[in-house]
Structures are given as structure tokens and as C-alpha cells.
Amino acid sequence: MHLNRYGQVGIFMASAAGLQLAAVAAGRGFLLTQMTMSAYYTLAVLGISLLMGYAGQISLGHAGFVAVGGYTSAVLTTLDLTPYRAQPLVAASQGLGLLLARPDLYGGELLVVQPLVACILAVALATLLAFVVGIPVLKLKGHYLAMATLGVGTIVYSLALGTQWLGAADGISSVPPFPLPFGASVGGPAGGRVVNYYVAVALLGAAMLLLLNLVQARVGRALRAIHGAEDAAAAMGVDTASLKLKTFVLSAALAALAGVFLTHYNGGIGPSEASVMKSVKYMAIVAVGGMGSLWGTLGMSLALNFLSLRGYFGAYDDVVFGLILVGMMLFAPEGLLALQPRRALAALRLRLRRREDGEEPR
Amino acid sequence: MSALFFQYLMAGLTYGMIYAVVGMGFNIIYNATGVINFAQGEFVMLGGMIAVSLVKILPLPLAILLAVLATMVVGALVELVFIRWLSSPSVLRMIIITVGISILIREAALLIWGQNVRALPYFTGSEITSLSIGGARMSPQVLWTLGACSALVALTTAFFRWSSTGKQMRACASNRVAASLCGLPTRNLVTASFILSAGMGALAGCVVSPITYTQYNIGTGLAMKGFTVAILGGLGSSLAAVAAGLVLGVLEAFAVSVMPSAYKDAVSITLLLAILFLRPTGLFAARVAYRP
Amino acid sequence: MTPFLEVSGVSKRFGGIQAVSGVSFQVRRGMIKAVIGPNGAGKTTLFNMVSGFSAPDHGTITFGGHPIHGCRPHQVAARGISRTFQNIRLFEHLSALENVMVGRHLRSRAGFLAGMLDLGWARREATAMRGLALEVMAFLGIEALADAEATSLAYGQQRAVELARALASDPELVLLDEPAAGLNMRETRDLAGLITRIRDRGITVLLVEHDMSLVMEICDEVLVLSYGEKIAEADPRTVQRDPQVVKVYLGEEEC
């Protein structure tokens, strides 16, 4: 039976619910914490899947965008504005209901930015950053965007690490929960674990649906066309540079959104969230999930992030992802699902035979 | 004041020379394959690390020589194992592979040497020895670095200009198909470019080690600066890369004098982004960076 | 009639090679015009300049009164010029129908937001796009191939899909780069009829071609290039008798 996109997302949500019930029934409800975090990381990974698989661009700095989202939200929702109450901008914001007074740990009162407003500002900042970085490099060949995004990731990392008001090596903690309708929230007391899990799954499902729609729509078709034959796409009137830029910006916005929710969920964020290795991890997941396969990427991302967060790879976490990356690119650049062992073997045999014949393989 | 200025200048030139050598390493492989080798910085790290280990049992010059040779073997292995047998891989694929290789080398280094910061002993004298030149004082190691890197640049340039292998590598760089049709062993020349560039990186890693120290994870930062230099000089041009390296090193050294040193990396990366934004073909070279 | 596409004095140099030097010509609305010449005469370079793939070093190109030299390919396409490629460039992993639908990219406007939200109007637009793409495929007699993966089709069929893609944007001018290359005699004859029918739809055709019988049969005018320079421009009969053209083609059959 061939399911449409809505059906597919429905099945995903149902399986997620099944997993939750199974975890709780098995008395291992604590696993939901890592499952929730995996879902948020997957949100960022999906954007990279779109960028790599459809627009054919590499980003080595998406962890930077996750961190921009997370840190912006963290700063805005923890920075006490009480001393600046008289400032026109702060006063006006308060008048508009953009600020929130909440109790701090010691019984005093903090005046901070509303989490929703902070979230919007965080995503907007990441979007702007991606736009500025993307304009020049997307007109050039692949390695420029790779290096430039690596640069962005490194800058964000070293700024986070070296700036006192961003908490330096400790990062920012005591970030408040993100309030949602019906009394739910992202983050907060451990009792909300199940609610938090479903919030994350719902967000992921919604994002997945939007992206599935997109790749089937006119824009997605044009992106796939660019991947197939860029010059022909341009000759058909596809503004290739603009589409790639927009895809890059969209993926950065998704990463920032993931960063915001992850930060509220964990109650804080540290500089390691921006590290280059994180970006490489995201890329490795897309590589193993399959270029241009959103479902493959989603599945792999949930699984690998979960295993990594649970510490299954131990001290070899980075090695595992490095090996995945190299192995996938060497043997199955289209992803695991596209792997055709028999065909690969045949190709290898042909190559060996040619070499025996003294012919240079091309 | 002028003595301080001179010290910043010398520090800048020292780092700049290293960046230049890494940038040249990028260029050599880029010319041969059209691909940026993201594991370039790891060669520098390996050179320093291996030499530090060997110097415990061997005299310094021999330790350095062996470290350079060992890194060259690693460079050759990288090409032979991961790259040689791919038939016309896409740029995307090659970038991802070299990124993966850089992580594997780094993690291997972490397993072997741990997280400790290491350094080779000063080649002459110790860290308190200083030479006085025109009233300013500096470590003789700075001279070693400048001298060794200059020699390296000169030798590489001579190699490409006059030696037969160097000429073949240039031919291969300018038109791979034509070179292959003329009977040049293009595959072997690509291997040679990895060996050469690994060796250069390793030697640079050795001479600079007493000043800058070596750690398993210095590769990424060096790679990014080397790439900045290669872009600044216009990809593919060696002497321009040297000029660009010196400019970047000096710029960085003076930037540190006015802002917290935690932001030192941000200077060069901002510069990289600015160049990509304003003039992606490089500041010094007329050669285009856009390669179909 | 006023000129529709006007190329005046364009030159292009690649390194030490002057690929095109000072070529001028006009294409009038509703005609079929061919550019011929020996290999390396600069035909494809000329095509690439008209379609925005490379900018001329000197000279101007105007289309419908608007200068288009130096425009990027998608901007040229937006002005109503569509093209095919000498070595077929179909989109891998897309079906033949999807390939043709990309040809309608210009005439549709659903963007990121409309696509992600699967808005009603974007859906209707997609349905209309599909219908029009199928219509163009039917016009070329290849609607049965719609769901096949484009790059897995036979050579002649791939050419037809590429042509359908080029026509799907409702261009005013279509540039065909060696449309008969690799086709057998019968297929070439069919192609001749097809190109005439494309013209009859009101689409102007400019083509590069090696097959002289095709050129002589369907073209209203022929432009002859040799070593990047224009050596003749006239109706097929006159060109065929031009001594300079004969000299250039000496030894080649059919001339």
C-alpha cells in the first residue's frame, strides 16, 4: 500500500507513542529523556538533510546555528532586566507584554523576555546570520560553504567559550521552561517527561510534514533538478543560487529552533553544543540516513542520537561518527537504504580485472 | 614601544609562516585533485606529536626527520586507502571523506598521546635564551621557524619549477585528462601530492612545536587558517599563499594586543568570511578560484 | 519584420583561443534559423552566450528590445528563451514528467512557504503544471513515457523529453543544440516535422546542427561560422552555393 505524506507522519507519531508506552511499561521511563533530546537533535539534522541531499551543499557549522538559537534564548530568558526597567525599550517591551516577571531561585523576582518572544528572536538571529554567510559562498563551489560554515561554527564556539556573560566554559544554566498551552511546558520538573516527549515528537512530526510537502512541491522539484543537472535547471529558469541560499537559511532556522527547545528542555546550554564535532555528527547522520531521504535520516538520527546520548559508544563516540562518515562516503554515498552490495561487488571486480589488464581505472 | 611592536611582528611572522605552509599544503593537493583536504591541519599535528615521542629516544634532528617521514607515510596511506580507488567522486563526497579522515586521525592521536599539551625542546638554547636584534629580544626558535619555513617554501617552489616530478605534477594540475593522455601517471602524482603536502605540514609542525605547543586537536584551527591563507592568496598560488600567511599571522598578532586572546581565532575566520564575501578570487592572485 | 533576437559584434576568448569574434546576426519572429559550421567554429559558444551561460567579452545581445548579454541563465530564461543541450542534460532521479514540469518552473510561483504548508492554490497550481506538462508531452508523442525515470530512457526518447522540457515554459525562442545528434534517419525525419510544428505554434527556433539535410529542409535562414567568424548568412539555397562555404566544408559530404 502506498501511503501519502500525512499517512506516513501519522504512522511515525503512532510508533513514537508505541515506543513511549513500551518504555513506560518496561519500567524504563527514564529513557524518554534521551528520546526527547534525540527528537530535538533530529529537527536540526532534517534541515541538513534538505541542504545536503536536495541542494547538494555541505555545512560543517550547523551546531553553530543550534548554539545561536540556544544561547540567544537562554540569555534572553535569564538576563534580569529589572535594573533597566526605566529604559524606553525595556519599558515599551513590558507594555507590549513581551516581558515576563518570574521568581528566581532565591525568592526574588526577575524580569526577563517571554520565552516565545525569545524563541522568535533566536530563530531570527540565526536566520540572519545564515543569510549573511550564505550570500557569497553559495555562488561558489562546494568547499567554500563547507569552510565558511566551519568558520561560523568555530566563531560561535570560541565566542561562547571566551565570553563571560555567556557563561564561558560553564555555559548558561537555570533557563526556565518554555510554557505551552494547556499547562504543558518544554523542560521543567521530571514529572513532565511524558508530556515533554510528546511535545518533541509533535514538533518533529510537524517539521517532517512541512519538509515532505516541500520536497514534493515546486521548490523541492527544482532543488532535486539542481542536484541532477544544475546548468539545465538554470536554463529552465530556476534561480539556483537563490534557491540554495533559501534552503541553507531554512536549515539554519530549523537548527536554531532545535537549539531553543533543547536549551529549555535541558534547562541550559554549554559551548560544546557549538563544537565542530557536533556539526560533523549531524552530517554523518545524514550520510548514513541517505542523501535526499528524509525518512531514512529521521530514523537514523533518532537511533544514533539516542545511542550516543545514552553513552553506548563510550569514549569512542567521535570515532564512531568519523567511521560512519568515511565508511558511508566510501561505500554507499547515497545512504544505507540505497546500498546495493551486489552491484558494488560487481563494480569492484570489474575494476580489479581492469587493473590486472594494466589499464588505468578512470 | 617599538620593541613591543617588533615582538608582535616577530610572533605574527612565526605563526604566519606556519599558516603559509599549511596553505601551500592545501594548494598542492587542490592543484592535483581539485579538492580541499580538510585533514591538512592533522598532518601538522602528527609531525609535532611523533617528533615529541621520538625525541625521548633519538637525537632531535633524527627525531624530526623520522617524524616527517612517518607523516609522509600517513599522507600516502590516506590517499591510497581512501581516495585512489574512487572513480570520479563528487566534490561533496571528497569533502566529507577528508573531514572524516581528519576526525579519525585526531581521535587516533587522542588515543595514543592523550589530551596533554606537548612540545619539542628548543632547537638551540632554551625558552629563556634570547637573541638581541636591534634592541629587540627574541627567541632563536623564531629564527629556526622562519628559516625552516622559508627554506621549505623555496625548495617546494624549486621542486615544482625544475624537477621532473614537479613539472609532471604541474601538468597534471593544469589538465588532468591531457596529462593522463600524455602517459603521465596521474594517479601516482596525486599520491605524490599527498606525500609532499603531509611532509611539509609535518616539518612545520616540528619547528613550531617549541613555541606554539602541540595537542591532538590543533588540526581544525590550523586547517581553517591555512584555508584562509590559501583563499586570501587565491587558491592554487604558492608564493601568494606565503604573503597571505604572513599578513594573517601579523594581523592576528596585533589583534590579540587589543582584544581578549579567546577571540584570536575569530579574527582570522571573520577575515575568511569577509574575503569570501568581497573577493573570492583572492587578494593577491589573478587566478580564479572558481574551478568548474 | 523587426528583429526579435539581435546579436551584434559579440566576441569571446578562452585563454589563447578566440572562440567567437565579432559575430552579428538577427533572428526574426517566427522563423527557423540554423547555425552551422565545422567543429570548433564557435557555434556552442555562441549558444552559451545567447542563453546566459557565458558573457561575451565584447558586443551586445538584445531580445525583444531588452539587452540580455551578461544576464544569468535563469534571467535569460525568464525573458522567454529556452534551450536544449548538445549532450542531453536531464535531471537524474526525476521522472520524465517531473523533468518537463521543471520546465514550467518559470510559469508557476509556489515558493517555500506555500510548498511547505501545502496550500490549496499551490496544489491547484501543481495540478495545472502537471496537466500542461502532459499536454506538451502529448504534442511530442511521448506522454506514455511520463512516469519512467528520465535518465533510463532510450537516447531518442531522452532527446524528446528534453525538448518537451524546453517547450514547457512556453518560450518565445527555443535554442536547440544539435537536436539530431545520435538520431537515425527516420528519427531525424520525424524531428524535422516536429521542429516545423513547433514553429507553427508560434515559437521561433534557432538551432545548431550538423545534419545538412535537416538544415536545408526546414530552415528559413542559415548562418555559417568558421573559426569563430561569420562567413555567410542567407537562405539555405544561397548558402549552399556560396564558394566560401563550400571551401570550408570541402571534403564533407552533402555539401
Side-chain angles (χ1 to χ4, degrees), chain A residues 89-142:
Chain A
L89 186 65
V90 175
S93 305
Q94 195 173 15
L96 288 169
L98 302 180
L99 303 186
L100 173 81
R102 65 178 178 91
D104 69 4
L105 284 174
Y106 314 105
E109 205 186 51
L110 296 177
L111 185 64
V112 297
V113 177
Q114 285 266 15
L116 184 64
V117 178
C119 171
I120 293 169
L121 288 175
V123 174
L125 184 65
T127 306
L128 187 71
L129 180 65
F131 189 71
V132 171
V133 175
I135 291 173
V137 291
L138 283 169
K139 289 181 187 160
L140 298 157
K141 288 282 163 179

Short mmCIF file of all heavy atoms in Angstrom, two decimals, chain A residues 89-142:
data_model
loop_
_atom_site.label_atom_id
_atom_site.label_comp_id
_atom_site.label_asym_id
_atom_site.label_seq_id
_atom_site.Cartn_x
_atom_site.Cartn_y
_atom_site.Cartn_z
N LEU A 89 13.16 51.24 25.75
CA LEU A 89 12.95 49.99 25.01
C LEU A 89 12.38 48.91 25.93
O LEU A 89 11.41 48.22 25.59
CB LEU A 89 14.27 49.51 24.40
CG LEU A 89 14.17 48.30 23.49
CD1 LEU A 89 13.35 48.61 22.25
CD2 LEU A 89 15.55 47.78 23.12
N VAL A 90 12.97 48.80 27.12
CA VAL A 90 12.52 47.79 28.08
C VAL A 90 11.10 48.12 28.53
O VAL A 90 10.23 47.23 28.59
CB VAL A 90 13.48 47.73 29.29
CG1 VAL A 90 12.96 46.76 30.34
CG2 VAL A 90 14.87 47.32 28.82
N ALA A 91 10.86 49.38 28.81
CA ALA A 91 9.53 49.80 29.27
C ALA A 91 8.48 49.51 28.20
O ALA A 91 7.41 48.97 28.49
CB ALA A 91 9.54 51.29 29.61
N ALA A 92 8.83 49.83 26.97
CA ALA A 92 7.88 49.61 25.87
C ALA A 92 7.61 48.12 25.70
O ALA A 92 6.46 47.70 25.54
CB ALA A 92 8.43 50.20 24.58
N SER A 93 8.66 47.30 25.79
CA SER A 93 8.50 45.85 25.66
C SER A 93 7.58 45.32 26.74
O SER A 93 6.72 44.49 26.50
CB SER A 93 9.85 45.14 25.75
OG SER A 93 10.74 45.68 24.80
N GLN A 94 7.79 45.88 27.96
CA GLN A 94 6.96 45.42 29.06
C GLN A 94 5.50 45.81 28.83
O GLN A 94 4.59 45.03 29.07
CB GLN A 94 7.47 46.01 30.38
CG GLN A 94 6.89 45.28 31.57
CD GLN A 94 7.51 45.74 32.87
OE1 GLN A 94 8.18 46.78 32.93
NE2 GLN A 94 7.32 44.96 33.92
N GLY A 95 5.33 47.02 28.31
CA GLY A 95 3.99 47.49 28.00
C GLY A 95 3.30 46.60 26.98
O GLY A 95 2.10 46.35 27.04
N LEU A 96 4.07 46.08 26.05
CA LEU A 96 3.50 45.24 24.99
C LEU A 96 3.32 43.79 25.45
O LEU A 96 2.86 42.94 24.69
CB LEU A 96 4.41 45.26 23.76
CG LEU A 96 4.40 46.58 22.96
CD1 LEU A 96 5.51 46.58 21.93
CD2 LEU A 96 3.05 46.79 22.28
N GLY A 97 3.73 43.52 26.67
CA GLY A 97 3.57 42.16 27.18
C GLY A 97 4.64 41.20 26.68
O GLY A 97 4.46 39.99 26.67
N LEU A 98 5.78 41.75 26.22
CA LEU A 98 6.83 40.88 25.69
C LEU A 98 7.72 40.36 26.82
O LEU A 98 8.52 39.46 26.61
CB LEU A 98 7.70 41.65 24.69
CG LEU A 98 6.96 42.24 23.49
CD1 LEU A 98 7.92 42.98 22.58
CD2 LEU A 98 6.23 41.16 22.72
N LEU A 99 7.57 40.97 28.01
CA LEU A 99 8.43 40.55 29.12
C LEU A 99 7.61 39.76 30.13
O LEU A 99 6.39 39.77 30.11
CB LEU A 99 9.06 41.79 29.80
CG LEU A 99 9.88 42.69 28.89
CD1 LEU A 99 10.56 43.77 29.71
CD2 LEU A 99 10.91 41.89 28.11
N LEU A 100 8.35 39.09 30.98
CA LEU A 100 7.72 38.18 31.92
C LEU A 100 8.42 38.33 33.25
O LEU A 100 9.64 38.33 33.30
CB LEU A 100 7.88 36.74 31.39
CG LEU A 100 7.45 35.58 32.26
CD1 LEU A 100 5.94 35.41 32.15
CD2 LEU A 100 8.13 34.31 31.80
N ALA A 101 7.64 38.49 34.32
CA ALA A 101 8.25 38.53 35.64
C ALA A 101 8.16 37.13 36.23
O ALA A 101 7.10 36.51 36.20
CB ALA A 101 7.51 39.52 36.52
N ARG A 102 9.28 36.61 36.68
CA ARG A 102 9.22 35.28 37.28
C ARG A 102 10.12 35.23 38.51
O ARG A 102 11.10 35.99 38.61
CB ARG A 102 9.62 34.20 36.27
CG ARG A 102 11.06 34.28 35.81
CD ARG A 102 11.38 33.14 34.87
NE ARG A 102 12.75 33.23 34.38
CZ ARG A 102 13.79 32.65 34.98
NH1 ARG A 102 13.63 31.97 36.07
NH2 ARG A 102 15.00 32.79 34.47
N PRO A 103 9.81 34.35 39.44
CA PRO A 103 10.63 34.28 40.65
C PRO A 103 11.97 33.63 40.35
O PRO A 103 12.06 32.77 39.46
CB PRO A 103 9.79 33.37 41.57
CG PRO A 103 8.93 32.57 40.65
CD PRO A 103 8.70 33.42 39.43
N ASP A 104 12.99 34.09 41.01
CA ASP A 104 14.29 33.41 40.83
C ASP A 104 14.49 32.40 41.96
O ASP A 104 13.62 32.21 42.80
CB ASP A 104 15.44 34.42 40.75
CG ASP A 104 15.69 35.12 42.07
OD1 ASP A 104 15.02 34.77 43.06
OD2 ASP A 104 16.54 36.02 42.09
N LEU A 105 15.62 31.77 41.96
CA LEU A 105 15.88 30.69 42.91
C LEU A 105 15.81 31.15 44.36
O LEU A 105 15.52 30.37 45.25
CB LEU A 105 17.27 30.10 42.65
CG LEU A 105 17.42 29.20 41.44
CD1 LEU A 105 18.88 28.84 41.25
CD2 LEU A 105 16.57 27.94 41.61
N TYR A 106 16.12 32.42 44.60
CA TYR A 106 16.25 32.90 45.97
C TYR A 106 15.02 33.67 46.41
O TYR A 106 15.05 34.39 47.39
CB TYR A 106 17.50 33.77 46.10
CG TYR A 106 18.67 33.13 45.42
CD1 TYR A 106 19.13 33.59 44.20
CD2 TYR A 106 19.30 32.02 46.00
CE1 TYR A 106 20.19 32.98 43.57
CE2 TYR A 106 20.36 31.41 45.37
CZ TYR A 106 20.82 31.88 44.16
OH TYR A 106 21.84 31.28 43.54
N GLY A 107 13.91 33.56 45.70
CA GLY A 107 12.68 34.20 46.12
C GLY A 107 12.51 35.62 45.63
O GLY A 107 11.48 36.25 45.82
N GLY A 108 13.55 36.16 44.97
CA GLY A 108 13.41 37.49 44.39
C GLY A 108 12.62 37.41 43.10
O GLY A 108 12.07 36.37 42.74
N GLU A 109 12.55 38.52 42.39
CA GLU A 109 11.81 38.49 41.14
C GLU A 109 12.70 38.94 40.00
O GLU A 109 13.46 39.89 40.11
CB GLU A 109 10.57 39.38 41.23
CG GLU A 109 9.52 38.92 40.25
CD GLU A 109 8.33 39.86 40.23
OE1 GLU A 109 8.54 41.08 40.08
OE2 GLU A 109 7.20 39.36 40.33
N LEU A 110 12.60 38.20 38.88
CA LEU A 110 13.37 38.54 37.69
C LEU A 110 12.43 39.09 36.63
O LEU A 110 11.28 38.66 36.53
CB LEU A 110 14.05 37.30 37.10
CG LEU A 110 15.11 36.59 37.93
CD1 LEU A 110 15.59 35.36 37.20
CD2 LEU A 110 16.27 37.53 38.18
N LEU A 111 12.93 40.00 35.87
CA LEU A 111 12.15 40.48 34.74
C LEU A 111 12.90 40.02 33.48
O LEU A 111 14.02 40.46 33.23
CB LEU A 111 12.04 42.00 34.76
CG LEU A 111 11.15 42.60 33.68
CD1 LEU A 111 9.71 42.17 33.87
CD2 LEU A 111 11.26 44.12 33.69
N VAL A 112 12.32 39.07 32.74
CA VAL A 112 13.03 38.52 31.57
C VAL A 112 12.11 38.55 30.35
O VAL A 112 10.92 38.85 30.46
CB VAL A 112 13.47 37.05 31.82
CG1 VAL A 112 14.45 36.98 32.96
CG2 VAL A 112 12.27 36.18 32.06
N VAL A 113 12.68 38.25 29.22
CA VAL A 113 11.91 38.22 27.98
C VAL A 113 11.04 36.96 27.96
O VAL A 113 11.47 35.90 28.42
CB VAL A 113 12.85 38.24 26.76
CG1 VAL A 113 12.06 38.15 25.46
CG2 VAL A 113 13.72 39.48 26.78
N GLN A 114 9.82 37.10 27.45
CA GLN A 114 8.93 35.95 27.29
C GLN A 114 9.62 34.87 26.45
O GLN A 114 10.17 35.18 25.41
CB GLN A 114 7.67 36.39 26.51
CG GLN A 114 6.71 37.19 27.29
CD GLN A 114 5.63 36.33 27.91
OE1 GLN A 114 5.79 35.10 27.97
NE2 GLN A 114 4.57 36.93 28.40
N PRO A 115 9.54 33.62 26.86
CA PRO A 115 10.21 32.57 26.08
C PRO A 115 9.80 32.56 24.60
O PRO A 115 10.65 32.37 23.73
CB PRO A 115 9.77 31.29 26.78
CG PRO A 115 9.56 31.69 28.19
CD PRO A 115 9.02 33.10 28.13
N LEU A 116 8.52 32.78 24.33
CA LEU A 116 8.08 32.75 22.93
C LEU A 116 8.76 33.87 22.13
O LEU A 116 9.24 33.65 21.02
CB LEU A 116 6.56 32.88 22.85
CG LEU A 116 6.01 32.78 21.44
CD1 LEU A 116 6.28 31.40 20.86
CD2 LEU A 116 4.51 33.06 21.42
N VAL A 117 8.82 35.06 22.73
CA VAL A 117 9.48 36.18 22.06
C VAL A 117 10.96 35.87 21.88
O VAL A 117 11.54 36.10 20.81
CB VAL A 117 9.29 37.47 22.89
CG1 VAL A 117 10.00 38.63 22.21
CG2 VAL A 117 7.82 37.78 23.06
N ALA A 118 11.56 35.32 22.93
CA ALA A 118 12.97 34.96 22.86
C ALA A 118 13.21 33.95 21.75
O ALA A 118 14.19 34.04 21.00
CB ALA A 118 13.43 34.37 24.20
N CYS A 119 12.30 32.99 21.63
CA CYS A 119 12.42 31.96 20.60
C CYS A 119 12.40 32.60 19.21
O CYS A 119 13.22 32.29 18.35
CB CYS A 119 11.29 30.95 20.77
SG CYS A 119 11.16 29.79 19.42
N ILE A 120 11.44 33.51 19.03
CA ILE A 120 11.33 34.16 17.71
C ILE A 120 12.60 34.95 17.40
O ILE A 120 13.16 34.86 16.29
CB ILE A 120 10.09 35.06 17.68
CG1 ILE A 120 8.83 34.19 17.75
CG2 ILE A 120 10.08 35.92 16.42
CD1 ILE A 120 7.56 34.97 17.99
N LEU A 121 13.09 35.67 18.41
CA LEU A 121 14.31 36.45 18.20
C LEU A 121 15.49 35.53 17.91
O LEU A 121 16.34 35.83 17.06
CB LEU A 121 14.60 37.32 19.42
CG LEU A 121 13.65 38.51 19.62
CD1 LEU A 121 13.96 39.22 20.92
CD2 LEU A 121 13.76 39.48 18.45
N ALA A 122 15.56 34.41 18.61
CA ALA A 122 16.67 33.48 18.44
C ALA A 122 16.69 32.93 17.02
O ALA A 122 17.74 32.91 16.35
CB ALA A 122 16.56 32.33 19.44
N VAL A 123 15.53 32.49 16.56
CA VAL A 123 15.47 31.94 15.20
C VAL A 123 15.77 33.03 14.17
O VAL A 123 16.47 32.81 13.18
CB VAL A 123 14.10 31.28 14.94
CG1 VAL A 123 13.97 30.84 13.51
CG2 VAL A 123 13.91 30.09 15.88
N ALA A 124 15.27 34.23 14.44
CA ALA A 124 15.51 35.34 13.51
C ALA A 124 17.00 35.65 13.41
O ALA A 124 17.53 35.87 12.32
CB ALA A 124 14.74 36.57 13.97
N LEU A 125 17.68 35.60 14.55
CA LEU A 125 19.12 35.90 14.55
C LEU A 125 19.89 34.86 13.74
O LEU A 125 20.75 35.21 12.92
CB LEU A 125 19.63 35.95 16.00
CG LEU A 125 21.10 36.34 16.16
CD1 LEU A 125 21.31 37.77 15.69
CD2 LEU A 125 21.54 36.19 17.61
N ALA A 126 19.56 33.59 13.96
CA ALA A 126 20.24 32.52 13.22
C ALA A 126 19.96 32.65 11.72
O ALA A 126 20.84 32.45 10.88
CB ALA A 126 19.80 31.16 13.74
N THR A 127 18.72 32.99 11.40
CA THR A 127 18.33 33.15 10.01
C THR A 127 19.15 34.26 9.35
O THR A 127 19.67 34.09 8.24
CB THR A 127 16.83 33.50 9.93
OG1 THR A 127 16.11 32.51 10.65
CG2 THR A 127 16.36 33.55 8.51
N LEU A 128 19.26 35.36 10.07
CA LEU A 128 20.01 36.50 9.55
C LEU A 128 21.48 36.12 9.33
O LEU A 128 22.07 36.40 8.28
CB LEU A 128 19.90 37.66 10.54
CG LEU A 128 20.50 38.98 10.07
CD1 LEU A 128 19.61 39.57 8.97
CD2 LEU A 128 20.62 39.97 11.23
N LEU A 129 22.05 35.43 10.32
CA LEU A 129 23.44 35.01 10.24
C LEU A 129 23.65 34.10 9.02
O LEU A 129 24.59 34.27 8.24
CB LEU A 129 23.83 34.29 11.53
CG LEU A 129 25.26 33.77 11.63
CD1 LEU A 129 26.22 34.94 11.62
CD2 LEU A 129 25.45 32.93 12.88
N ALA A 130 22.74 33.14 8.86
CA ALA A 130 22.86 32.20 7.74
C ALA A 130 22.76 32.95 6.42
O ALA A 130 23.47 32.66 5.46
CB ALA A 130 21.77 31.14 7.83
N PHE A 131 21.90 33.92 6.39
CA PHE A 131 21.70 34.69 5.16
C PHE A 131 22.98 35.43 4.79
O PHE A 131 23.44 35.37 3.65
CB PHE A 131 20.54 35.67 5.39
CG PHE A 131 20.09 36.36 4.16
CD1 PHE A 131 19.41 35.66 3.17
CD2 PHE A 131 20.34 37.71 3.96
CE1 PHE A 131 19.00 36.29 2.02
CE2 PHE A 131 19.94 38.34 2.80
CZ PHE A 131 19.26 37.63 1.83
N VAL A 132 23.57 36.10 5.77
CA VAL A 132 24.78 36.87 5.50
C VAL A 132 25.93 35.96 5.07
O VAL A 132 26.66 36.25 4.13
CB VAL A 132 25.18 37.69 6.75
CG1 VAL A 132 26.54 38.33 6.56
CG2 VAL A 132 24.13 38.75 7.04
N VAL A 133 26.07 34.83 5.76
CA VAL A 133 27.15 33.90 5.42
C VAL A 133 26.88 33.25 4.07
O VAL A 133 27.79 32.99 3.29
CB VAL A 133 27.28 32.80 6.51
CG1 VAL A 133 28.31 31.77 6.10
CG2 VAL A 133 27.68 33.43 7.82
N GLY A 134 25.61 32.99 3.81
CA GLY A 134 25.26 32.23 2.62
C GLY A 134 25.36 32.99 1.31
O GLY A 134 25.67 32.40 0.29
N ILE A 135 25.10 34.29 1.35
CA ILE A 135 25.07 35.04 0.09
C ILE A 135 26.29 34.81 -0.78
O ILE A 135 26.16 34.38 -1.92
CB ILE A 135 24.89 36.56 0.35
CG1 ILE A 135 23.50 36.84 0.88
CG2 ILE A 135 25.10 37.35 -0.94
CD1 ILE A 135 23.32 38.27 1.32
N PRO A 136 27.50 35.08 -0.25
CA PRO A 136 28.64 34.92 -1.14
C PRO A 136 28.98 33.48 -1.46
O PRO A 136 29.29 33.13 -2.59
CB PRO A 136 29.78 35.59 -0.38
CG PRO A 136 29.39 35.49 1.04
CD PRO A 136 27.91 35.57 1.07
N VAL A 137 28.93 32.62 -0.44
CA VAL A 137 29.51 31.30 -0.65
C VAL A 137 28.64 30.39 -1.50
O VAL A 137 29.14 29.50 -2.15
CB VAL A 137 29.84 30.60 0.68
CG1 VAL A 137 30.97 31.30 1.36
CG2 VAL A 137 28.65 30.54 1.57
N LEU A 138 27.34 30.64 -1.53
CA LEU A 138 26.51 29.74 -2.30
C LEU A 138 26.69 29.93 -3.80
O LEU A 138 26.28 29.12 -4.59
CB LEU A 138 25.06 29.90 -1.90
CG LEU A 138 24.77 29.22 -0.57
CD1 LEU A 138 23.43 29.60 -0.03
CD2 LEU A 138 24.86 27.71 -0.71
N LYS A 139 27.31 31.04 -4.16
CA LYS A 139 27.56 31.25 -5.58
C LYS A 139 28.82 30.51 -6.01
O LYS A 139 29.11 30.41 -7.19
CB LYS A 139 27.72 32.74 -5.87
CG LYS A 139 26.41 33.48 -5.73
CD LYS A 139 26.57 34.95 -6.06
CE LYS A 139 25.29 35.68 -5.74
NZ LYS A 139 25.51 37.12 -5.58
N LEU A 140 29.57 30.03 -5.02
CA LEU A 140 30.83 29.36 -5.34
C LEU A 140 30.66 27.86 -5.18
O LEU A 140 29.62 27.38 -4.80
CB LEU A 140 31.92 29.88 -4.41
CG LEU A 140 32.18 31.37 -4.58
CD1 LEU A 140 32.81 31.94 -3.34
CD2 LEU A 140 33.06 31.63 -5.78
N LYS A 141 31.74 27.16 -5.43
CA LYS A 141 31.66 25.70 -5.39
C LYS A 141 31.64 25.17 -3.96
O LYS A 141 31.94 25.88 -3.02
CB LYS A 141 32.85 25.11 -6.15
CG LYS A 141 32.72 25.29 -7.63
CD LYS A 141 31.76 24.27 -8.21
CE LYS A 141 31.31 24.72 -9.60
NZ LYS A 141 30.41 23.81 -10.24
N GLY A 142 31.35 23.89 -3.86
CA GLY A 142 31.11 23.22 -2.59
C GLY A 142 32.01 23.53 -1.42
O GLY A 142 31.53 23.81 -0.34
#
